Amino acid sequence: MAKAPVLTPQADDFPRWYQDLINKAELADNGPVRGTMVIRPYGYGLWERMQQEMDARIKDAGAANAYFPLFIPQSYLTREAEHVEGFAPELAVVTHGGGKDLEEPVVVRPTSETIINEYFSKWVQSYRDLPLLINQWANVVRWEMRPRVFLRTTEFLWQEGHTAHATYEDARDYAARIHRDVYGDFMTDVLAIDVVLGRKTAKERFAGAINTLTLESMMGDGKALQMGTSHELGQNFAKAFHTQYLSKDGEQELVWQTSWGSSTRMVGGLIMSHGDDNGLRVPPRLASVQVVVLAIKGDDAVLAAVREIGDRLKAAGLRVQVDDRTDTPFGRRAVDWELKGVPVRVEVGPRDLENGTAMLARRIPGGKEPVAVGELAELLPKVLEEDQALLLTQSRERRESRTADVRTIAEAAEAAATGWARIPWSDLGPEGEAELAEQGVTVRCLVAEDGSVPEADDAPGNVAIVARAY
Amino acid sequence: MAKAPVLTPQADDFPRWYQDLINKAELADNGPVRGTMVIRPYGYGLWERMQQEMDARIKDAGAANAYFPLFIPQSYLTREAEHVEGFAPELAVVTHGGGKDLEEPVVVRPTSETIINEYFSKWVQSYRDLPLLINQWANVVRWEMRPRVFLRTTEFLWQEGHTAHATYEDARDYAARIHRDVYGDFMTDVLAIDVVLGRKTAKERFAGAINTLTLESMMGDGKALQMGTSHELGQNFAKAFHTQYLSKDGEQELVWQTSWGSSTRMVGGLIMSHGDDNGLRVPPRLASVQVVVLAIKGDDAVLAAVREIGDRLKAAGLRVQVDDRTDTPFGRRAVDWELKGVPVRVEVGPRDLENGTAMLARRIPGGKEPVAVGELAELLPKVLEEDQALLLTQSRERRESRTADVRTIAEAAEAAATGWARIPWSDLGPEGEAELAEQGVTVRCLVAEDGSVPEADDAPGNVAIVARAY
């Protein structure tokens, strides 16, 4: 008789598989207030590693971290008309503080363009102060009617970058740089997630932006997930907040701005990109634990061996955890590490010791084989790099095999039932986009014929990527 | 004629000096909602380095990071009677979300004992799950009537640790370990701030704790600042939230708990410990910029030299910034680096180059002298360690020289006008404590005769440290 599966199989019910995995791998719980989440240590460890890798790339792009208040006066939001229209329905409002009703209610930030511009308008005086490149790691709140852990939560954690530039070109280039060199590089190189870099249509743009660049990825069920966005804000917020500078020519000029964000939603993307019916598979470059060394039994010799192997692998620069909790059955621990998606398990029992070997179990391609203990330190870094590459290949092949080139709206809608469609934007247009939206299918982004990011919605040869999305 | 000072001198008006420094060194601004603050990049850089150093120590103590929601149902707060009494007057309340009035208002977390216990009670089942050691980096909100940047703000950033243990002894020892090995070590070793480790009196205990351990430091004006606290919560929250485990003997037992926190308030402590009339002095081990290499003029040779020196010092493992903004006058930049408290400046002009030297300016002891460029990489690490030690010595000597041993309440109050008093707890007691409180003087902590942390308020020989406090 077959064992009952640990998780609902993906093929049976993908959303339930996703929720099962999050529970069983102890990634997160639902919070008590609707739509909030508790990120458990193993889930938070994934986010911490994402932060480290992203933060280094953000700093390489010249931005410095800062922190702006959680509470924004309601009046700030209303200064940029499109912005308030976009966010008003999702706001959480504090009306009571320190035992009294507040004179002016304050909103809990849904994003920080407004409050940051209030300060940029003080800090920026001259062209010498530009570009001003700021990033913040923070929590934000957007009231969610249909929450789903990591993907759409009332409170989430993110980084939001905000910059001010002297010229349109400089702002445009910086938004593109973040899109490509921070987000694109991180997602491809560390998360091993295939992302399409494109441009949002007018309908899908950020509230207050003149252009939104996006990174879209195909999840295991063929739906799309927006993994991050980088916006050109033009001078919209600069006008609303009078953010201006004295140019070299002695003129007062409005700044040009960008903002860009990526969030704990990426953890959801990681799960739905790389997870399988046995649990998560964490890309080795991201993993906080790349290798777990398991004692199969509690003999002294075995315990001494796993600790020694652990030390040797740590010394080789790997991120290692030793699992010597032999009062819990080995099988249960092995299943747990599978669920958590640790890339490599090194399993050591008394018989292995006699042979001078350990069992090497690889989570990403699957499979187990005995390896001489003395060879582990040299072998594992190669294994991990192979597995990192394999995840990216699998992610890319999924998108390629499940994307159809189509010419009609009906074909696009049909393709979106199981994957993505590519349709010339000249064949779709805003009207076709609206028609698809009625069926729950959206234009994820526009890409140029050669796959690059288009300079305009209507650039000749633009292709719309169309899908159902999270 | 003497130049006008950049800052209000400390001796003239310490609070104004503090505010001046924060503005001029670009550490923070006041936020638009009363009591909130904007932490500017240089100020945030100090906090980021504090986070790094603390986080490593917290992980060494076995705790893992996680994240709990910002929003707490109001009903949670009321489950622990003393806790709600302590925090109710400071709460910010969200009554409106997603365009509707909420059925149950939610509070913005002032601290997370309640919501964390709600989850601990689910996660802890057996003695095998203990100890459960969790930390979170987060923002919290406590409505402030008399706010002061970094020291007392409506929103602040902090870490809060929360742990559950099988026995009283284990919880007690863990609270003490955090107090000593995380907070004490970090503050002394990295911040170079002298701290007294002691025990709070019943009156000063955290709302809901059975014991509060504290770290108190004397600021430049002789007042005390509480730099961090570590609490034994006993079983108070475990009772309120039914946080229990199945013991080895098969009995359901309530857990014993701790919580512990330190915040952006430490940035205020850093300023008031080490700052002088020329600005901040950042301890080298904390500094995100330990050495700034300044080009005095914009000649090509000078610019090439500062970049080369910068690279060489970075290669020697130092945290270095090159300042080649020669369109801003050298004097203004030098004053700015003084204000920001960068420990060492290496100043290079055309004449220095001819001599193969650079001017070495040390912010911490003060003074300038020429040094051969070739010797910098070997010299500076020693200089920085010397300066690190000097700051701690100065902090310790201030406390020692401004602390008086007294026997009466009147003497204690008098000593507290300019510094600290030490008075036997048997001479003061809760009545004396109440009497001092009327004069704005508090018992900062109790210490044992030998300087160690007492096991009980009434342990024989306990000495009360009495001061005005921030």
Side-chain angles (χ1 to χ4, degrees):
Chain A
M1 207 178 78
K3 270 197 299 182
V6 178
L7 306 175
T8 304
Q10 289 190 338
D12 290 2
D13 185 342
F14 195 85
R16 210 168 133 192
W17 163 85
Y18 177 76
Q19 193 57 59
D20 275 5
L21 192 158
I22 287 171
N23 295 341
K24 296 266 174 74
E26 301 184 341
L27 298 176
D29 278 3
N30 289 311
V33 173
R34 186 174 163 73
T36 61
M37 66 177 161
V38 174
I39 309 179
R40 299 185 67 171
Y42 191 70
Y44 197 82
L46 296 172
W47 176 241
E48 269 184 311
R49 286 282 305 132
M50 290 183 187
Q51 287 188 298
Q52 283 169 13
E53 293 283 343
M54 290 272 298
D55 197 66
R57 285 168 177 77
I58 290 168
K59 284 176 175 148
D60 279 348
N65 288 333
Y67 189 77
F68 292 81
L70 175 69
F71 291 152
I72 303 181
Q74 210 162 29
S75 59
Y76 282 23
L77 268 289
T78 58
R79 287 198 216 164
E80 212 291 327
E82 279 187 32
H83 190 69
V84 68
E85 199 187 321
F87 284 104
E90 303 177 355
L91 296 177
V93 186
V94 177
T95 55
H96 193 89
K100 283 189 203 163
D101 288 332
L102 301 182
E103 284 179 27
E104 184 188 354
V106 299
V107 304
V108 182
R109 64 178 161 226
T111 182
S112 303
E113 278 76 7
T114 59
I115 195 164
I116 286 181
N117 261 280
E118 177 76 8
Y119 287 85
F120 275 20
S121 71
K122 292 177 193 169
W123 299 343
V124 173
Q125 299 294 330
S126 122
Y127 67 92
R128 284 194 193 83
D129 301 323
L130 297 176
L132 179 56
L133 310 173
I134 297 281
N135 178 62
Q136 106 171 337
W137 291 95
N139 54 345
V140 286
V141 169
R142 300 176 186 178
W143 213 267
E144 271 299 341
M145 294 306 151
R146 291 162 302 126
R148 192 176 297 184
V149 178
F150 289 123
L151 298 175
R152 222 173 25 238
T153 48
T154 291
E155 180 192 10
F156 55 91
L157 305 183
W158 78 344
Q159 62 64 221
E160 51 178 321
H162 297 268
T163 70
H165 306 260
T167 64
Y168 163 75
E169 290 74 15
D170 197 45
R172 179 197 62 194
D173 294 349
Y174 198 76
R177 178 178 177 184
I178 294 292
H179 186 222
R180 183 184 61 236
D181 297 346
V182 175
Y183 295 159
D185 183 74
F186 167 70
M187 291 169 194
T188 309
D189 206 54
V190 179
L191 298 186
I193 294 180
D194 170 72
V195 280
V196 171
L197 278 69
R199 172 189 177 93
K200 287 286 186 193
T201 60
K203 181 173 183 297
E204 299 286 333
R205 242 178 239 148
F206 176 73
I210 62 168
N211 183 26
T212 289
L213 304 172
T214 183
L215 302 99
E216 302 284 330
S217 180
M218 186 188 283
M219 301 291 102
D221 60 352
K223 287 170 77 173
L225 183 73
Q226 176 182 305
M227 295 279 291
T229 47
S230 181
H231 315 291
E232 294 175 52
L233 302 177
Q235 297 182 312
N236 289 339
F237 289 90
K239 280 174 198 155
F241 288 86
H242 311 293
T243 314
Q244 47 193 13
Y245 70 98
L246 195 67
S247 75
K248 278 190 185 169
D249 307 330
E251 302 287 328
Q252 285 290 342
E253 306 271 5
L254 291 169
V255 299
W256 295 85
Q257 294 189 272
T258 79
S259 71
W260 26 281
S262 64
S263 74
T264 37
R265 163 171 262 223
M266 289 191 290
V267 179
L270 188 80
I271 298 168
M272 294 196 297
S273 283
H274 300 322
D276 65 19
D277 285 347
N278 296 319
L280 186 56
R281 297 185 303 165
V282 182
R285 290 192 197 154
L286 182 75
S288 60
V289 182
Q290 298 174 309
V291 180
V292 61
V293 185
L294 283 110
I296 295 176
K297 287 191 175 168
D299 317 9
D300 287 349
V302 170
L303 293 177
V306 292
R307 285 164 199 159
E308 199 200 316
I309 293 170
D311 288 342
R312 220 184 296 165
L313 295 178
K314 277 178 210 166
L318 299 173
R319 296 189 288 272
V320 180
Q321 186 165 329
V322 170
D323 178 354
D324 53 8
R325 299 166 302 158
T326 47
D327 54 348
T328 303
F330 167 70
R332 203 173 126 193
R333 289 182 288 135
V335 165
D336 191 54
W337 290 116
E338 287 248 330
L339 271 166
K340 289 192 156 72
V342 169
V344 164
R345 301 197 306 279
V346 173
E347 303 173 350
V348 182
R351 245 183 313 167
D352 302 298
L353 277 191
E354 280 169 28
N355 303 329
T357 61
M359 197 58 84
L360 174 63
R362 288 170 68 175
R363 177 67 181 91
I364 290 163
K368 263 195 191 192
E369 57 174 2
V371 171
V373 166
E375 289 170 15
L376 283 168
E378 210 190 318
L379 180 65
L380 290 189
K382 288 178 209 157
V383 160
L384 292 170
E385 277 305 294
E386 258 178 59
D387 293 353
Q388 177 79 27
L390 178 60
L391 284 176
L392 181 60
T393 301
Q394 291 177 346
S395 172
R396 182 170 296 144
E397 285 175 354
R398 176 168 55 227
R399 174 180 54 86
E400 286 170 353
S401 67
R402 294 174 75 169
T403 298
D405 276 291
V406 303
R407 295 301 298 257
T408 70
I409 293 172
E411 287 167 345
E414 198 195 326
T418 55
W420 291 6
R422 288 166 47 89
I423 180 169
W425 178 238
S426 55
D427 290 349
L428 187 65
E431 297 77 20
E433 184 180 19
E435 204 180 317
L436 282 174
E438 283 168 24
Q439 305 171 58
V441 176
T442 47
V443 176
R444 302 316 306 153
C445 61
L446 303 174
V447 294
E449 240 170 340
D450 64 357
S452 66
V453 180
E455 301 252 320
D457 286 16
D458 292 323
N462 274 359
V463 174
I465 291 177
V466 154
R468 291 178 190 279
Y470 281 95
Chain B
M1 207 180 77
K3 269 197 300 183
V6 178
L7 307 174
T8 304
Q10 289 189 338
D12 290 1
D13 185 341
F14 196 84
R16 209 167 134 192
W17 164 84
Y18 177 76
Q19 192 58 57
D20 276 3
L21 192 159
I22 286 171
N23 295 343
K24 296 266 173 76
E26 302 184 340
L27 298 176
D29 277 3
N30 289 312
V33 172
R34 186 175 163 74
T36 62
M37 66 177 161
V38 174
I39 309 179
R40 300 187 67 172
Y42 191 71
Y44 197 82
L46 297 171
W47 176 240
E48 269 185 310
R49 286 281 308 133
M50 290 182 187
Q51 286 188 298
Q52 284 169 12
E53 294 282 342
M54 290 273 297
D55 197 66
R57 284 167 177 77
I58 289 168
K59 285 176 173 146
D60 280 347
N65 289 334
Y67 188 77
F68 291 81
L70 174 70
F71 291 152
I72 302 181
Q74 209 163 30
S75 59
Y76 283 23
L77 268 289
T78 57
R79 288 199 213 163
E80 214 290 328
E82 279 186 33
H83 189 68
V84 68
E85 200 187 321
F87 284 104
E90 302 177 358
L91 296 178
V93 186
V94 177
T95 55
H96 193 90
K100 283 188 203 162
D101 286 334
L102 302 181
E103 284 177 27
E104 184 188 352
V106 300
V107 303
V108 182
R109 64 179 161 227
T111 179
S112 301
E113 278 76 7
T114 60
I115 195 165
I116 286 181
N117 261 280
E118 176 76 7
Y119 288 85
F120 275 19
S121 70
K122 293 176 191 169
W123 299 343
V124 173
Q125 300 293 330
S126 122
Y127 68 91
R128 284 193 192 84
D129 301 321
L130 297 175
L132 178 57
L133 311 174
I134 297 282
N135 179 61
Q136 107 171 336
W137 292 96
N139 53 345
V140 286
V141 168
R142 300 176 185 177
W143 214 266
E144 271 299 342
M145 296 304 151
R146 290 163 300 123
R148 193 176 298 185
V149 179
F150 288 121
L151 297 174
R152 222 173 25 237
T153 48
T154 291
E155 180 192 11
F156 55 91
L157 304 183
W158 78 343
Q159 62 65 223
E160 49 178 323
H162 297 270
T163 70
H165 305 259
T167 64
Y168 163 76
E169 290 76 14
D170 197 45
R172 179 197 62 195
D173 292 350
Y174 198 77
R177 178 177 175 184
I178 294 292
H179 186 223
R180 182 186 61 235
D181 296 346
V182 175
Y183 296 158
D185 183 73
F186 167 70
M187 291 168 194
T188 310
D189 205 53
V190 180
L191 298 186
I193 293 179
D194 170 74
V195 281
V196 171
L197 278 68
R199 173 188 176 95
K200 287 286 185 192
T201 61
K203 180 173 184 297
E204 299 285 335
R205 243 179 239 148
F206 176 73
I210 63 169
N211 183 25
T212 288
L213 304 173
T214 183
L215 301 99
E216 303 282 331
S217 181
M218 184 186 283
M219 301 292 101
D221 60 352
K223 287 170 78 171
L225 183 73
Q226 177 182 302
M227 295 280 289
T229 47
S230 180
H231 315 292
E232 293 175 54
L233 302 176
Q235 298 182 310
N236 289 341
F237 289 90
K239 280 176 198 153
F241 288 84
H242 311 294
T243 314
Q244 45 193 13
Y245 69 99
L246 194 68
S247 75
K248 277 188 187 170
D249 307 330
E251 302 285 331
Q252 285 291 343
E253 306 271 5
L254 289 169
V255 300
W256 295 85
Q257 295 189 271
T258 79
S259 71
W260 26 280
S262 64
S263 74
T264 37
R265 163 172 261 222
M266 289 191 292
V267 179
L270 188 80
I271 298 167
M272 294 195 297
S273 283
H274 300 321
D276 64 20
D277 285 346
N278 296 319
L280 185 55
R281 297 185 302 166
V282 182
R285 290 191 197 155
L286 182 74
S288 59
V289 182
Q290 296 174 313
V291 180
V292 62
V293 185
L294 283 110
I296 295 178
K297 285 191 177 169
D299 316 10
D300 288 349
V302 169
L303 293 177
V306 293
R307 285 164 199 160
E308 198 200 315
I309 294 170
D311 288 342
R312 218 184 297 167
L313 297 178
K314 278 177 207 165
L318 299 173
R319 295 189 288 271
V320 180
Q321 185 163 329
V322 170
D323 178 353
D324 52 9
R325 300 168 300 159
T326 46
D327 54 347
T328 303
F330 168 72
R332 203 172 125 194
R333 289 181 289 136
V335 165
D336 191 54
W337 291 116
E338 287 246 331
L339 270 167
K340 289 192 156 69
V342 169
V344 164
R345 299 196 306 278
V346 174
E347 303 172 348
V348 181
R351 243 182 314 165
D352 303 298
L353 275 192
E354 279 169 29
N355 302 330
T357 62
M359 198 57 86
L360 174 64
R362 288 170 66 174
R363 177 68 182 91
I364 291 162
K368 265 194 190 192
E369 55 173 4
V371 172
V373 166
E375 289 170 16
L376 283 168
E378 209 191 316
L379 180 65
L380 291 190
K382 290 179 207 155
V383 160
L384 292 170
E385 278 305 294
E386 258 180 57
D387 293 352
Q388 177 81 26
L390 178 61
L391 283 177
L392 181 60
T393 302
Q394 290 177 345
S395 171
R396 183 170 294 143
E397 283 175 354
R398 174 168 59 226
R399 174 181 54 87
E400 286 170 353
S401 69
R402 295 173 74 169
T403 298
D405 277 290
V406 303
R407 296 301 300 255
T408 70
I409 294 173
E411 287 168 345
E414 196 194 327
T418 55
W420 292 5
R422 287 166 48 89
I423 179 170
W425 178 238
S426 56
D427 289 348
L428 187 64
E431 297 77 21
E433 185 179 18
E435 203 179 318
L436 281 175
E438 284 168 24
Q439 304 170 59
V441 175
T442 48
V443 176
R444 304 314 308 153
C445 62
L446 303 175
V447 294
E449 239 171 339
D450 64 358
S452 66
V453 181
E455 302 253 318
D457 285 16
D458 292 323
N462 274 0
V463 174
I465 291 178
V466 154
R468 292 177 190 279
Y470 282 96

